[in-house]
Amino acid sequence: MLSAQSIVVPSSSDICPSSAIAREDLIKDVTLSIISHPYLDDLLEKIRHEPIPWQDYERAGLITEDERVMVEHIENKSPEEITSIISEHGIHYAGLYLELMQNLARVDAVQKVLVLVHDMLNDHDERIFLFHEASVGRPDFPFGPFHKQVFAKHLALRINDEFIGIQASKILTLLICSTSHRDIDIGDFFRWMTFQLQSRNAPVTELNIQILDALFHIPAYRKAFWQTPHAVDSLVAILKRGNNNPQKVYEITFAIWLLTFDDEIAAQLNRKHDVLPSLVDIAKHAVKEKVIRVVVAIFKNLIERAPRANLSAMLVVKVLPFAEHLSTRKWSDQEIVEDIEFVKTQLQENFQSLTTFEAYAAEVETGKLEWTPPHQSDNFWRQNAGRLNDQDYHLLRLLTRLMSSSNNPTVLAIACHDLGQYVKYTSSDGRKRLQEVGAKQRIMELMTHQDPEVRYHALSATQKYFSMSS
Protein backbone atom coordinates (compact mmCIF):
# COMPACT_ATOMS: atom_id res chain seq x y z
CA MET A 1 0.00 0.00 0.00
CA LEU A 2 1.04 3.60 -0.44
CA SER A 3 2.03 5.61 2.59
CA ALA A 4 -0.54 7.86 4.22
CA GLN A 5 2.17 10.45 4.74
CA SER A 6 2.04 11.57 1.14
CA ILE A 7 -1.36 10.47 -0.07
CA VAL A 8 -4.75 9.51 1.22
CA VAL A 9 -5.32 5.78 1.52
CA PRO A 10 -8.49 3.78 2.01
CA SER A 11 -9.10 2.26 5.41
CA SER A 12 -7.09 -0.87 6.14
CA SER A 13 -10.06 -3.10 5.41
CA ASP A 14 -10.99 -1.05 2.34
CA ILE A 15 -14.65 -1.13 3.33
CA CYS A 16 -17.31 1.50 3.70
CA PRO A 17 -17.23 3.19 7.14
CA SER A 18 -19.81 1.84 9.57
CA SER A 19 -21.71 3.58 12.33
CA ALA A 20 -19.39 1.94 14.85
CA ILE A 21 -16.44 3.97 13.58
CA ALA A 22 -15.71 7.23 15.36
CA ARG A 23 -16.72 10.43 13.61
CA GLU A 24 -13.10 11.55 13.51
CA ASP A 25 -12.18 8.43 11.54
CA LEU A 26 -14.93 9.07 9.04
CA ILE A 27 -13.70 12.55 8.23
CA LYS A 28 -9.96 11.80 8.41
CA ASP A 29 -9.53 10.65 4.82
CA VAL A 30 -11.39 13.59 3.37
CA THR A 31 -9.56 16.20 5.43
CA LEU A 32 -6.40 14.88 3.76
CA SER A 33 -8.11 15.07 0.36
CA ILE A 34 -7.92 18.83 0.05
CA ILE A 35 -10.45 20.07 -2.49
CA SER A 36 -8.90 23.39 -3.38
CA HIS A 37 -7.66 25.47 -6.26
CA PRO A 38 -6.48 29.08 -6.68
CA TYR A 39 -9.32 29.53 -9.18
CA LEU A 40 -11.88 28.65 -6.51
CA ASP A 41 -10.09 30.80 -3.92
CA ASP A 42 -10.34 33.81 -6.23
CA LEU A 43 -14.07 33.25 -6.72
CA LEU A 44 -14.61 32.91 -2.97
CA GLU A 45 -12.72 36.12 -2.27
CA LYS A 46 -14.59 38.06 -4.93
CA ILE A 47 -18.02 36.92 -3.75
CA ARG A 48 -17.10 37.46 -0.06
CA HIS A 49 -16.79 41.21 -0.69
CA GLU A 50 -19.96 41.57 -2.76
CA PRO A 51 -22.68 43.31 -0.68
CA ILE A 52 -25.99 41.49 -0.43
CA PRO A 53 -29.23 43.46 0.29
CA TRP A 54 -30.47 41.11 3.03
CA GLN A 55 -33.00 43.67 4.28
CA ASP A 56 -34.53 43.95 0.80
CA TYR A 57 -34.77 40.15 0.66
CA GLU A 58 -36.49 40.16 4.05
CA ARG A 59 -39.02 42.74 2.86
CA ALA A 60 -39.61 40.64 -0.26
CA GLY A 61 -40.31 37.61 1.92
CA LEU A 62 -37.32 35.65 0.69
CA ILE A 63 -35.85 35.30 4.18
CA THR A 64 -37.21 35.83 7.69
CA GLU A 65 -36.13 38.52 10.12
CA ASP A 66 -34.34 35.96 12.30
CA GLU A 67 -32.45 34.64 9.31
CA ARG A 68 -31.39 38.15 8.31
CA VAL A 69 -30.17 38.94 11.80
CA MET A 70 -28.15 35.72 12.03
CA VAL A 71 -26.54 36.25 8.62
CA GLU A 72 -25.63 39.85 9.32
CA HIS A 73 -24.20 38.83 12.71
CA ILE A 74 -21.61 36.47 11.13
CA GLU A 75 -21.09 38.01 7.69
CA ASN A 76 -17.67 39.64 7.10
CA LYS A 77 -16.32 38.46 10.45
CA SER A 78 -12.73 37.39 11.03
CA PRO A 79 -11.88 33.67 11.45
CA GLU A 80 -11.46 34.26 15.19
CA GLU A 81 -14.88 35.92 15.47
CA ILE A 82 -16.46 33.13 13.42
CA THR A 83 -14.92 30.55 15.76
CA SER A 84 -16.42 32.34 18.77
CA ILE A 85 -19.87 32.49 17.17
CA ILE A 86 -19.84 28.89 15.95
CA SER A 87 -18.58 27.54 19.27
CA GLU A 88 -21.73 28.93 20.90
CA HIS A 89 -24.31 28.73 18.11
CA GLY A 90 -22.82 26.27 15.62
CA ILE A 91 -25.77 23.93 15.25
CA HIS A 92 -28.12 26.89 14.72
CA TYR A 93 -25.94 28.31 11.97
CA ALA A 94 -25.68 24.90 10.31
CA GLY A 95 -29.49 24.74 10.35
CA LEU A 96 -29.71 28.29 9.02
CA TYR A 97 -27.41 27.58 6.08
CA LEU A 98 -29.31 24.42 5.22
CA GLU A 99 -32.62 26.29 5.20
CA LEU A 100 -31.21 29.11 3.08
CA MET A 101 -29.68 26.69 0.59
CA GLN A 102 -33.02 24.90 0.38
CA ASN A 103 -35.17 27.99 -0.09
CA LEU A 104 -33.11 30.64 -1.87
CA ALA A 105 -33.07 30.92 -5.65
CA ARG A 106 -31.25 34.21 -6.23
CA VAL A 107 -27.73 33.64 -7.53
CA ASP A 108 -26.05 36.31 -5.40
CA ALA A 109 -27.70 35.09 -2.20
CA VAL A 110 -26.88 31.42 -2.83
CA GLN A 111 -23.29 32.36 -3.65
CA LYS A 112 -22.94 34.29 -0.39
CA VAL A 113 -24.39 31.46 1.70
CA LEU A 114 -21.89 29.05 0.14
CA VAL A 115 -19.09 31.46 1.09
CA LEU A 116 -20.44 31.55 4.67
CA VAL A 117 -20.45 27.75 4.76
CA HIS A 118 -16.88 27.73 3.46
CA ASP A 119 -15.78 30.21 6.14
CA MET A 120 -17.46 28.11 8.81
CA LEU A 121 -15.67 24.94 7.73
CA ASN A 122 -12.32 26.44 6.70
CA ASP A 123 -9.59 24.77 8.82
CA HIS A 124 -12.37 23.19 10.89
CA ASP A 125 -13.52 20.11 8.99
CA GLU A 126 -15.00 18.68 12.18
CA ARG A 127 -17.76 21.30 11.97
CA ILE A 128 -19.28 19.38 9.05
CA PHE A 129 -20.94 17.20 11.70
CA LEU A 130 -22.99 20.18 12.84
CA PHE A 131 -24.87 19.94 9.53
CA HIS A 132 -25.72 16.31 10.25
CA GLU A 133 -26.87 17.16 13.78
CA ALA A 134 -28.98 20.06 12.51
CA SER A 135 -30.71 17.71 10.05
CA VAL A 136 -32.31 15.42 12.63
CA GLY A 137 -35.99 15.06 11.78
CA ARG A 138 -35.52 16.44 8.26
CA PRO A 139 -35.32 13.44 5.86
CA ASP A 140 -34.04 15.51 2.93
CA PHE A 141 -31.31 17.18 4.98
CA PRO A 142 -28.35 17.69 4.94
CA PHE A 143 -27.78 16.48 1.35
CA GLY A 144 -30.91 17.82 -0.32
CA PRO A 145 -30.22 21.57 -0.15
CA PHE A 146 -26.72 21.26 -1.68
CA HIS A 147 -27.83 18.59 -4.14
CA LYS A 148 -30.58 20.99 -5.24
CA GLN A 149 -28.13 23.82 -5.94
CA VAL A 150 -25.76 21.55 -7.88
CA PHE A 151 -28.53 20.38 -10.16
CA ALA A 152 -30.21 23.74 -10.56
CA LYS A 153 -27.43 24.59 -13.03
CA HIS A 154 -27.22 21.12 -14.53
CA LEU A 155 -30.97 21.03 -15.24
CA ALA A 156 -31.03 24.66 -16.41
CA LEU A 157 -33.90 25.41 -14.04
CA ARG A 158 -32.84 28.83 -12.84
CA ILE A 159 -29.17 29.14 -11.96
CA ASN A 160 -26.37 29.42 -14.44
CA ASP A 161 -23.37 29.94 -12.19
CA GLU A 162 -20.13 27.96 -12.21
CA PHE A 163 -19.18 28.82 -8.63
CA ILE A 164 -22.42 27.45 -7.21
CA GLY A 165 -21.98 24.14 -9.00
CA ILE A 166 -18.38 23.71 -7.83
CA GLN A 167 -18.77 24.90 -4.23
CA ALA A 168 -22.06 23.09 -3.63
CA SER A 169 -20.46 19.91 -5.03
CA LYS A 170 -17.52 20.35 -2.66
CA ILE A 171 -19.73 20.74 0.43
CA LEU A 172 -21.98 17.90 -0.70
CA THR A 173 -18.90 15.69 -0.98
CA LEU A 174 -17.77 16.57 2.54
CA LEU A 175 -21.24 15.74 3.83
CA ILE A 176 -21.30 12.40 2.00
CA CYS A 177 -17.87 11.39 3.23
CA SER A 178 -18.54 12.33 6.86
CA THR A 179 -21.32 9.81 7.49
CA SER A 180 -22.18 6.21 6.75
CA HIS A 181 -25.83 7.15 6.26
CA ARG A 182 -25.98 8.49 2.71
CA ASP A 183 -29.53 9.02 1.52
CA ILE A 184 -28.55 10.51 -1.82
CA ASP A 185 -28.79 9.53 -5.47
CA ILE A 186 -25.08 9.24 -6.20
CA GLY A 187 -25.93 8.33 -9.80
CA ASP A 188 -27.29 11.83 -10.37
CA PHE A 189 -24.19 13.31 -8.79
CA PHE A 190 -21.86 11.24 -10.97
CA ARG A 191 -23.77 12.18 -14.11
CA TRP A 192 -23.20 15.79 -13.13
CA MET A 193 -19.52 15.06 -12.45
CA THR A 194 -19.19 13.45 -15.88
CA PHE A 195 -20.49 16.65 -17.45
CA GLN A 196 -18.01 18.69 -15.40
CA LEU A 197 -15.05 16.49 -16.36
CA GLN A 198 -15.67 17.47 -19.97
CA SER A 199 -15.38 21.19 -19.19
CA ARG A 200 -12.94 23.26 -21.23
CA ASN A 201 -12.07 25.15 -18.05
CA ALA A 202 -9.08 23.26 -16.63
CA PRO A 203 -9.61 24.37 -13.00
CA VAL A 204 -13.14 22.96 -13.12
CA THR A 205 -11.93 19.54 -14.24
CA GLU A 206 -9.12 19.59 -11.68
CA LEU A 207 -11.50 20.41 -8.82
CA ASN A 208 -13.86 17.67 -9.89
CA ILE A 209 -11.03 15.14 -9.96
CA GLN A 210 -10.23 16.14 -6.36
CA ILE A 211 -13.88 15.56 -5.48
CA LEU A 212 -13.70 12.11 -7.06
CA ASP A 213 -10.54 11.37 -5.06
CA ALA A 214 -12.62 11.94 -1.93
CA LEU A 215 -15.74 10.06 -3.09
CA PHE A 216 -13.77 7.03 -4.28
CA HIS A 217 -12.79 6.32 -0.68
CA ILE A 218 -16.29 4.85 -0.47
CA PRO A 219 -16.01 1.43 -2.19
CA ALA A 220 -19.61 1.34 -3.45
CA TYR A 221 -19.10 4.67 -5.19
CA ARG A 222 -16.26 3.32 -7.31
CA LYS A 223 -18.65 0.84 -8.88
CA ALA A 224 -21.37 3.49 -9.19
CA PHE A 225 -18.99 5.77 -11.10
CA TRP A 226 -17.86 2.87 -13.29
CA GLN A 227 -21.50 2.20 -14.20
CA THR A 228 -22.27 5.84 -15.01
CA PRO A 229 -22.43 6.32 -18.81
CA HIS A 230 -19.32 8.07 -20.21
CA ALA A 231 -17.93 8.75 -16.71
CA VAL A 232 -14.79 6.64 -16.97
CA ASP A 233 -14.37 7.72 -20.60
CA SER A 234 -14.23 11.34 -19.43
CA LEU A 235 -11.77 10.56 -16.64
CA VAL A 236 -9.46 8.51 -18.86
CA ALA A 237 -9.53 11.21 -21.54
CA ILE A 238 -8.00 13.62 -19.02
CA LEU A 239 -5.39 11.00 -18.10
CA LYS A 240 -4.42 10.54 -21.74
CA ARG A 241 -4.23 14.26 -22.47
CA GLY A 242 -1.41 14.54 -19.98
CA ASN A 243 -0.48 17.48 -17.79
CA ASN A 244 2.78 19.22 -16.99
CA ASN A 245 1.67 19.91 -13.41
CA PRO A 246 2.90 17.02 -11.20
CA GLN A 247 0.15 17.59 -8.62
CA LYS A 248 -2.59 17.36 -11.24
CA VAL A 249 -1.03 14.21 -12.72
CA TYR A 250 -0.89 12.78 -9.24
CA GLU A 251 -4.57 13.54 -8.56
CA ILE A 252 -5.81 11.86 -11.75
CA THR A 253 -3.65 8.77 -11.24
CA PHE A 254 -4.77 8.66 -7.62
CA ALA A 255 -8.41 8.53 -8.76
CA ILE A 256 -7.56 5.67 -11.13
CA TRP A 257 -5.75 3.86 -8.31
CA LEU A 258 -8.79 4.02 -6.03
CA LEU A 259 -10.99 2.66 -8.82
CA THR A 260 -8.72 -0.36 -9.22
CA PHE A 261 -9.53 -1.60 -5.72
CA ASP A 262 -12.74 -2.92 -7.28
CA ASP A 263 -12.17 -6.36 -8.82
CA GLU A 264 -14.51 -5.83 -11.77
CA ILE A 265 -12.98 -2.46 -12.61
CA ALA A 266 -9.46 -3.88 -12.30
CA ALA A 267 -10.39 -6.63 -14.77
CA GLN A 268 -11.98 -4.36 -17.37
CA LEU A 269 -10.26 -0.99 -17.05
CA ASN A 270 -7.44 -1.62 -19.52
CA ARG A 271 -9.51 -3.80 -21.84
CA LYS A 272 -12.09 -1.07 -22.28
CA HIS A 273 -9.96 2.05 -21.96
CA ASP A 274 -6.36 1.10 -22.84
CA VAL A 275 -4.85 2.94 -19.87
CA LEU A 276 -1.61 0.97 -19.48
CA PRO A 277 0.41 2.78 -22.20
CA SER A 278 -0.55 6.17 -20.71
CA LEU A 279 0.33 5.06 -17.18
CA VAL A 280 3.74 3.79 -18.29
CA ASP A 281 4.39 7.05 -20.13
CA ILE A 282 3.33 9.12 -17.10
CA ALA A 283 5.63 7.20 -14.78
CA LYS A 284 8.56 7.40 -17.21
CA HIS A 285 8.32 11.18 -17.40
CA ALA A 286 7.32 11.87 -13.79
CA VAL A 287 9.46 14.34 -11.88
CA LYS A 288 7.84 13.56 -8.53
CA GLU A 289 8.35 10.25 -6.75
CA LYS A 290 4.75 10.19 -5.52
CA VAL A 291 3.48 10.02 -9.11
CA ILE A 292 5.62 6.96 -9.83
CA ARG A 293 4.50 5.44 -6.54
CA VAL A 294 0.82 5.70 -7.35
CA VAL A 295 1.30 4.36 -10.90
CA VAL A 296 3.21 1.35 -9.55
CA ALA A 297 0.43 0.88 -7.00
CA ILE A 298 -2.08 0.79 -9.88
CA PHE A 299 -0.02 -1.93 -11.55
CA LYS A 300 0.01 -3.88 -8.30
CA ASN A 301 -3.77 -3.62 -7.92
CA LEU A 302 -4.34 -4.71 -11.51
CA ILE A 303 -2.12 -7.76 -11.00
CA GLU A 304 -3.49 -8.74 -7.59
CA ARG A 305 -7.15 -8.30 -8.44
CA ALA A 306 -7.28 -9.34 -12.09
CA PRO A 307 -4.05 -11.10 -13.15
CA ARG A 308 -5.52 -12.93 -16.16
CA ALA A 309 -6.86 -9.69 -17.60
CA ASN A 310 -3.72 -7.61 -17.05
CA LEU A 311 -0.46 -9.56 -16.89
CA SER A 312 -0.19 -10.23 -20.62
CA ALA A 313 -1.25 -6.71 -21.49
CA MET A 314 1.44 -5.34 -19.17
CA LEU A 315 4.07 -7.43 -20.90
CA VAL A 316 2.97 -6.10 -24.27
CA VAL A 317 3.39 -2.46 -23.21
CA LYS A 318 6.77 -3.32 -21.63
CA VAL A 319 5.95 -2.79 -17.97
CA LEU A 320 8.50 -5.52 -17.12
CA PRO A 321 11.63 -3.71 -18.38
CA PHE A 322 10.29 -0.52 -16.83
CA ALA A 323 9.81 -2.25 -13.46
CA GLU A 324 13.30 -3.76 -13.76
CA HIS A 325 14.69 -0.27 -14.35
CA LEU A 326 12.78 1.15 -11.36
CA SER A 327 14.17 -1.61 -9.15
CA THR A 328 17.70 -0.26 -9.73
CA ARG A 329 16.85 3.19 -8.40
CA LYS A 330 16.96 4.41 -4.82
CA TRP A 331 13.66 5.33 -3.20
CA SER A 332 12.80 7.26 -0.07
CA ASP A 333 10.03 4.86 0.97
CA GLN A 334 10.33 1.12 1.48
CA GLU A 335 6.75 0.54 0.33
CA ILE A 336 7.44 1.57 -3.25
CA VAL A 337 10.45 -0.77 -3.25
CA GLU A 338 8.15 -3.63 -2.21
CA ASP A 339 5.52 -2.73 -4.82
CA ILE A 340 8.10 -2.53 -7.61
CA GLU A 341 9.51 -5.91 -6.58
CA PHE A 342 6.03 -7.43 -6.56
CA VAL A 343 5.21 -6.12 -10.04
CA LYS A 344 8.59 -7.17 -11.43
CA THR A 345 8.41 -10.69 -9.95
CA GLN A 346 4.86 -11.32 -11.14
CA LEU A 347 5.68 -10.17 -14.66
CA GLN A 348 8.89 -12.20 -14.81
CA GLU A 349 7.07 -15.36 -13.75
CA ASN A 350 4.30 -14.74 -16.24
CA PHE A 351 6.80 -14.01 -19.01
CA GLN A 352 8.43 -17.40 -18.47
CA SER A 353 5.11 -19.25 -18.67
CA LEU A 354 3.61 -17.29 -21.53
CA THR A 355 3.39 -19.23 -24.81
CA THR A 356 4.14 -17.53 -28.07
CA PHE A 357 0.49 -17.54 -29.09
CA GLU A 358 -0.59 -16.04 -25.76
CA ALA A 359 1.92 -13.26 -26.26
CA TYR A 360 0.55 -12.68 -29.75
CA ALA A 361 -3.05 -12.66 -28.48
CA ALA A 362 -2.16 -10.16 -25.75
CA GLU A 363 -0.60 -7.88 -28.35
CA VAL A 364 -3.72 -7.98 -30.49
CA GLU A 365 -5.89 -7.36 -27.41
CA THR A 366 -4.04 -4.14 -26.69
CA GLY A 367 -4.03 -2.98 -30.30
CA LYS A 368 -0.34 -2.09 -30.00
CA LEU A 369 0.92 -4.15 -32.92
CA GLU A 370 4.66 -4.24 -33.60
CA TRP A 371 6.79 -6.43 -35.87
CA THR A 372 7.46 -8.99 -33.15
CA PRO A 373 8.68 -12.49 -34.20
CA PRO A 374 5.25 -14.24 -34.29
CA HIS A 375 4.02 -11.97 -37.06
CA GLN A 376 6.93 -12.84 -39.31
CA SER A 377 7.14 -16.57 -38.63
CA ASP A 378 5.54 -18.91 -41.18
CA ASN A 379 5.87 -21.69 -38.64
CA PHE A 380 3.86 -19.66 -36.12
CA TRP A 381 1.04 -19.17 -38.62
CA ARG A 382 1.14 -22.78 -39.76
CA GLN A 383 0.56 -23.87 -36.16
CA ASN A 384 -1.74 -21.13 -34.90
CA ALA A 385 -3.75 -19.56 -37.75
CA GLY A 386 -6.83 -21.59 -36.83
CA ARG A 387 -6.73 -20.31 -33.26
CA LEU A 388 -7.91 -16.90 -34.47
CA ASN A 389 -11.29 -18.64 -34.78
CA ASP A 390 -11.50 -19.33 -31.03
CA GLN A 391 -14.11 -17.59 -28.88
CA ASP A 392 -16.37 -16.77 -31.79
CA TYR A 393 -13.47 -15.46 -33.91
CA HIS A 394 -12.47 -12.99 -31.18
CA LEU A 395 -8.93 -12.23 -32.44
CA LEU A 396 -10.06 -12.20 -36.05
CA ARG A 397 -12.66 -9.58 -35.21
CA LEU A 398 -10.13 -7.53 -33.25
CA LEU A 399 -7.70 -7.45 -36.20
CA THR A 400 -10.54 -6.41 -38.48
CA ARG A 401 -11.56 -3.68 -36.06
CA LEU A 402 -7.99 -2.37 -35.88
CA MET A 403 -7.94 -1.86 -39.63
CA SER A 404 -10.87 0.53 -39.28
CA SER A 405 -10.07 2.21 -35.96
CA SER A 406 -6.29 2.73 -36.08
CA ASN A 407 -4.47 5.57 -37.81
CA ASN A 408 -1.06 4.02 -37.18
CA PRO A 409 0.45 2.77 -40.48
CA THR A 410 2.45 0.04 -38.69
CA VAL A 411 -0.68 -1.31 -37.00
CA LEU A 412 -2.57 -1.27 -40.31
CA ALA A 413 0.27 -3.00 -42.17
CA ILE A 414 0.63 -5.73 -39.53
CA ALA A 415 -3.13 -6.31 -39.37
CA CYS A 416 -3.23 -6.78 -43.15
CA HIS A 417 -0.19 -9.07 -43.01
CA ASP A 418 -1.68 -11.22 -40.24
CA LEU A 419 -5.01 -11.58 -42.00
CA GLY A 420 -3.18 -12.56 -45.17
CA GLN A 421 -1.32 -15.25 -43.21
CA TYR A 422 -4.57 -16.36 -41.63
CA VAL A 423 -6.28 -16.92 -44.95
CA LYS A 424 -3.16 -18.58 -46.38
CA TYR A 425 -3.11 -21.25 -43.66
CA THR A 426 -6.87 -21.72 -43.28
CA SER A 427 -7.62 -21.97 -47.01
CA SER A 428 -11.22 -21.62 -48.21
CA ASP A 429 -12.60 -21.51 -44.68
CA GLY A 430 -10.41 -18.49 -43.99
CA ARG A 431 -11.72 -16.72 -47.08
CA LYS A 432 -15.27 -17.23 -45.87
CA ARG A 433 -14.53 -15.92 -42.39
CA LEU A 434 -12.73 -12.81 -43.69
CA GLN A 435 -15.79 -11.93 -45.72
CA GLU A 436 -18.16 -12.57 -42.82
CA VAL A 437 -16.33 -10.26 -40.40
CA GLY A 438 -15.90 -7.51 -43.01
CA ALA A 439 -12.11 -7.85 -43.29
CA LYS A 440 -11.99 -8.49 -47.04
CA GLN A 441 -13.51 -5.16 -48.00
CA ARG A 442 -11.32 -3.19 -45.59
CA ILE A 443 -8.13 -4.89 -46.82
CA MET A 444 -8.99 -3.97 -50.39
CA GLU A 445 -9.65 -0.36 -49.36
CA LEU A 446 -6.19 -0.19 -47.75
CA MET A 447 -4.60 -1.08 -51.11
CA THR A 448 -4.85 2.65 -51.89
CA HIS A 449 -3.56 3.85 -48.51
CA GLN A 450 -1.01 6.69 -48.62
CA ASP A 451 1.59 4.66 -46.72
CA PRO A 452 3.56 2.30 -49.02
CA GLU A 453 4.00 -0.40 -46.36
CA VAL A 454 0.26 -0.51 -45.75
CA ARG A 455 -0.40 -0.73 -49.49
CA TYR A 456 2.14 -3.55 -49.85
CA HIS A 457 0.69 -5.74 -47.10
CA ALA A 458 -2.90 -5.01 -48.16
CA LEU A 459 -2.02 -6.08 -51.71
CA SER A 460 -0.23 -9.19 -50.43
CA ALA A 461 -3.22 -10.16 -48.28
CA THR A 462 -5.57 -9.62 -51.22
CA GLN A 463 -3.43 -11.86 -53.45
CA LYS A 464 -3.47 -14.61 -50.80
CA TYR A 465 -7.22 -14.25 -50.49
CA PHE A 466 -7.84 -14.75 -54.21
CA SER A 467 -5.20 -17.48 -54.58
CA MET A 468 -7.15 -19.77 -52.25
CA SER A 469 -9.68 -22.00 -53.94
CA SER A 470 -13.34 -21.51 -53.11
Side-chain angles (χ1 to χ4, degrees):
M1 292 286 290
L2 301 179
S3 169
Q5 294 178 347
S6 60
I7 67 169
V8 190
V9 298
S11 60
S12 58
S13 57
D14 193 40
I15 60 173
C16 188
S18 69
S19 57
I21 300 176
R23 296 193 314 182
E24 291 76 16
D25 291 332
L26 285 172
I27 194 65
K28 181 177 66 173
D29 284 345
V30 181
T31 58
L32 293 175
S33 290
I34 300 173
I35 303 170
S36 64
H37 197 284
Y39 175 77
L40 183 58
D41 294 340
D42 290 344
L43 291 176
L44 283 162
E45 193 63 22
K46 177 181 178 182
I47 294 168
R48 183 178 288 110
H49 294 96
E50 290 289 338
I52 304 295
W54 296 115
Q55 292 185 353
D56 291 347
Y57 292 164
E58 178 192 344
R59 285 192 290 269
L62 300 178
I63 59 174
T64 67
E65 180 182 1
D66 288 344
E67 290 172 339
R68 175 187 61 77
V69 170
M70 288 183 69
V71 168
E72 291 180 341
H73 180 61
I74 201 170
E75 188 179 29
N76 299 322
K77 293 295 191 295
S78 68
E80 293 75 19
E81 291 171 317
I82 292 173
T83 292
S84 176
I85 295 170
I86 295 301
S87 64
E88 186 174 356
H89 305 290
I91 192 169
H92 301 294
Y93 271 93
L96 168 69
Y97 296 153
L98 286 167
E99 290 288 348
L100 294 177
M101 291 296 294
Q102 179 73 9
N103 298 324
L104 290 174
R106 292 190 60 92
V107 172
D108 60 345
V110 173
Q111 287 179 332
K112 182 55 70 79
V113 174
L114 284 168
V115 171
L116 293 174
V117 174
H118 168 84
D119 292 345
M120 174 180 172
L121 298 176
N122 193 33
D123 294 327
H124 289 278
D125 302 274
E126 74 282 355
R127 292 175 184 167
I128 196 71
F129 294 107
L130 292 170
F131 289 87
H132 293 291
E133 293 170 6
S135 300
V136 174
R138 297 292 301 271
D140 194 39
F141 281 23
F143 308 116
F146 295 96
H147 185 276
K148 176 181 179 180
Q149 296 300 342
V150 170
F151 286 93
K153 177 177 184 288
H154 181 49
L155 300 177
L157 295 178
R158 63 183 183 279
I159 294 176
N160 185 23
D161 182 87
E162 191 171 69
F163 171 78
I164 292 175
I166 295 173
Q167 189 65 16
S169 294
K170 174 179 176 177
I171 304 305
L172 182 57
T173 297
L174 294 175
L175 288 168
I176 290 170
C177 293
S178 57
T179 180
S180 59
H181 304 288
R182 306 181 181 97
D183 185 17
I184 181 174
D185 187 344
I186 197 64
D188 271 351
F189 196 22
F190 281 152
R191 284 188 285 275
W192 158 255
M193 296 284 291
T194 299
F195 176 74
Q196 293 293 285
L197 290 172
Q198 298 169 20
S199 172
R200 294 183 179 180
N201 188 349
V204 171
T205 62
E206 291 164 6
L207 281 160
N208 278 274
I209 290 169
Q210 293 175 14
I211 289 173
L212 289 177
D213 284 347
L215 292 173
F216 287 169
H217 282 77
I218 303 169
Y221 285 3
R222 302 166 195 162
K223 183 63 66 66
F225 185 81
W226 176 259
Q227 295 172 342
T228 301
H230 309 299
V232 179
D233 290 334
S234 300
L235 190 63
V236 170
I238 298 171
L239 176 78
K240 292 184 176 182
R241 282 202 298 270
N243 194 310
N244 293 326
N245 185 322
Q247 181 60 26
K248 305 313 173 189
V249 173
Y250 170 73
E251 288 165 359
I252 184 70
T253 52
F254 184 78
I256 299 293
W257 175 60
L258 288 175
L259 284 175
T260 61
F261 277 94
D262 183 281
D263 290 354
E264 178 189 349
I265 297 174
Q268 299 186 34
L269 181 64
N270 189 64
R271 285 180 176 176
K272 290 189 173 182
H273 300 282
D274 191 29
V275 297
L276 285 174
S278 296
L279 290 171
V280 172
D281 188 62
I282 285 170
K284 283 182 176 179
H285 294 91
V287 296
K288 295 289 186 179
E289 180 176 308
K290 67 179 183 178
V291 174
I292 300 175
R293 293 178 65 230
V294 76
V295 171
V296 173
I298 293 172
F299 293 157
K300 182 181 180 184
N301 270 4
L302 293 177
I303 293 172
E304 283 188 324
R305 296 175 180 274
R308 293 187 62 184
N310 294 303
L311 280 169
S312 296
M314 287 184 178
L315 289 170
V316 169
V317 298
K318 298 180 173 56
V319 174
L320 176 55
F322 179 57
E324 290 172 336
H325 167 70
L326 292 179
S327 68
T328 65
R329 293 171 55 177
K330 292 185 178 181
W331 303 96
S332 62
D333 193 307
Q334 180 61 26
E335 290 173 334
I336 188 174
V337 175
E338 294 171 359
D339 285 357
I340 291 170
E341 186 62 27
F342 173 85
V343 171
K344 183 181 73 170
T345 301
Q346 292 295 313
L347 288 171
Q348 286 174 337
E349 292 177 357
N350 192 65
F351 180 78
Q352 296 300 324
S353 63
L354 200 64
T355 68
T356 302
F357 182 77
E358 287 171 334
Y360 171 80
E363 187 179 333
V364 175
E365 289 274 3
T366 64
K368 309 294 182 183
L369 302 184
E370 297 179 4
W371 285 112
T372 50
H375 299 286
Q376 304 175 74
S377 168
D378 280 339
N379 187 52
F380 170 83
W381 286 106
R382 189 177 295 107
Q383 295 176 359
N384 296 295
R387 299 180 67 179
L388 270 62
N389 297 336
D390 294 348
Q391 296 180 299
D392 191 29
Y393 308 97
H394 176 62
L395 293 178
L396 192 65
R397 295 179 192 276
L398 286 180
L399 286 169
T400 303
R401 191 178 307 155
L402 283 173
M403 290 194 299
S404 297
S405 62
S406 178
N407 294 319
N408 186 320
T410 299
V411 171
L412 295 175
I414 294 173
C416 288
H417 169 272
D418 288 4
L419 291 173
Q421 292 293 78
Y422 166 79
V423 76
K424 175 180 178 181
Y425 289 105
T426 55
S427 191
S428 58
D429 183 63
R431 289 186 61 196
K432 179 181 178 182
R433 300 307 175 199
L434 284 191
Q435 192 158 358
E436 288 176 351
V437 300
K440 172 192 171 185
Q441 179 179 350
R442 182 55 181 156
I443 290 171
M444 296 182 73
E445 290 172 354
L446 291 174
M447 289 170 61
T448 59
H449 193 274
Q450 61 183 8
D451 185 88
E453 186 180 30
V454 176
R455 292 199 303 270
Y456 170 78
H457 287 289
L459 175 61
S460 177
T462 302
Q463 290 172 339
K464 291 172 183 175
Y465 178 89
F466 285 109
S467 68
M468 296 296 108
S469 58
S470 308

